[in-house]
Amino acid sequence: SAARVEAFQGGARYQEWAADPSVLELLDKLYAMTGFKRLAPDAPVVDRIQCLTSVKQQIDIERAHLLPVLCNPQGLTLEEEEEQLIKVITDYTFRLRYVGSNEEEHKELSRLAAGLLPAAIVEGLELGRAASGGNGHFTLYSAHDNTIMALLAHLGFMDYAIPYFAAAVCFELHCSDGEYSVKVRYHADHRQPEDAEGFVVPEGHWRRWGQRRRGSMAF
């Protein structure tokens, strides 16, 4: 979308990395290892940097399947500090995609990317409240990591952990002394169960999609 293009053009850190010799050296090494056309030395530097998201996803896939990481005929391997640099750059890119560089971009990008999912979640919670005293129910939505990031951004988060495989956002309806609340828990990485984060949303903060002004992030 035009909003995303504008956000990426305003990503100030890309210019810093484009002038960093260690980043340029890493880009050349990754091109030799992967052959990704967007990493080619004659491609625009910022495009090469943004392509690191594809590299990071490939690394995660191969590591999850216990495969050699970016196996190549030259026998090149990544050092730990190089992988950390890739993570820093790609985390920035993933967040910029849904949060942007300012409040207005945050509202616009997250609203467009999250779509009707927040409304569906709130509707399910309201149905659960209306059926108070019943058997309850469990609803499961299957989503990509990008959907989770869009939802987190829509909820107002900026510096969220980037989701790994099997990441989940859980919404749980509770009632205590006639007062309803929603417990929300975000589990970014199943390999680190102790890092799951949560918070409580009181009933007065629930909102239907049509009740909110355009771009609002309030739950």
Side-chain angles (χ1 to χ4, degrees), residues 10-56:
R13 296 205 64 186
Y14 289 134
Q15 300 306 320
E16 299 174 13
W17 287 319
D20 187 334
S22 63
V23 173
L24 298 177
E25 183 178 342
L26 175 59
L27 293 173
D28 290 341
K29 180 176 181 178
L30 289 171
Y31 176 65
M33 296 176 71
T34 66
F36 289 173
K37 291 183 178 179
R38 286 186 60 198
L39 287 171
D42 59 349
V45 178
V46 172
D47 286 355
R48 299 178 74 196
I49 293 172
Q50 292 174 357
C51 179
L52 290 180
T53 55
S54 298
V55 175
K56 179 65 166 63

Side-chain angles (χ1 to χ4, degrees), residues 45-175:
V45 178
V46 172
D47 286 355
R48 299 178 74 196
I49 293 172
Q50 292 174 357
C51 179
L52 290 180
T53 55
S54 298
V55 175
K56 179 65 166 63
Q57 290 172 331
Q58 187 64 29
I59 290 173
D60 288 344
I61 291 170
E62 292 177 351
R63 186 154 284 145
H65 287 279
L66 304 179
L67 297 172
V69 173
L70 304 182
C71 187
N72 58 91
Q74 297 91 333
L76 298 172
T77 58
L78 290 174
E79 302 294 334
E80 183 176 346
E81 59 270 20
E82 291 174 325
E83 285 203 48
Q84 182 58 35
L85 179 55
I86 292 172
K87 184 180 187 305
V88 169
I89 294 174
T90 55
D91 281 6
Y92 174 81
T93 300
F94 282 132
R95 293 192 185 101
L96 188 65
R97 184 178 294 171
Y98 303 108
V99 174
S101 301
N102 55 59
E103 183 179 354
E104 288 306 311
E105 288 181 352
H106 188 164
K107 291 178 180 178
E108 182 74 3
L109 291 169
S110 62
R111 183 187 68 85
L112 291 172
L116 296 177
L117 178 59
I121 292 171
V122 171
E123 182 179 359
L125 295 171
E126 291 181 333
L127 288 173
R129 180 182 59 178
S132 178
N135 295 324
H137 67 276
F138 172 79
T139 302
L140 174 67
Y141 293 95
S142 178
H144 291 287
D145 53 355
N146 288 296
T147 311
I148 290 177
M149 288 187 281
L151 178 62
L152 293 171
H154 182 80
L155 291 174
F157 295 102
M158 298 177 64
D159 194 25
Y160 48 77
I162 304 302
Y164 188 69
F165 300 120
V169 183
C170 303
F171 297 84
E172 195 173 68
L173 180 64
H174 289 258
C175 182

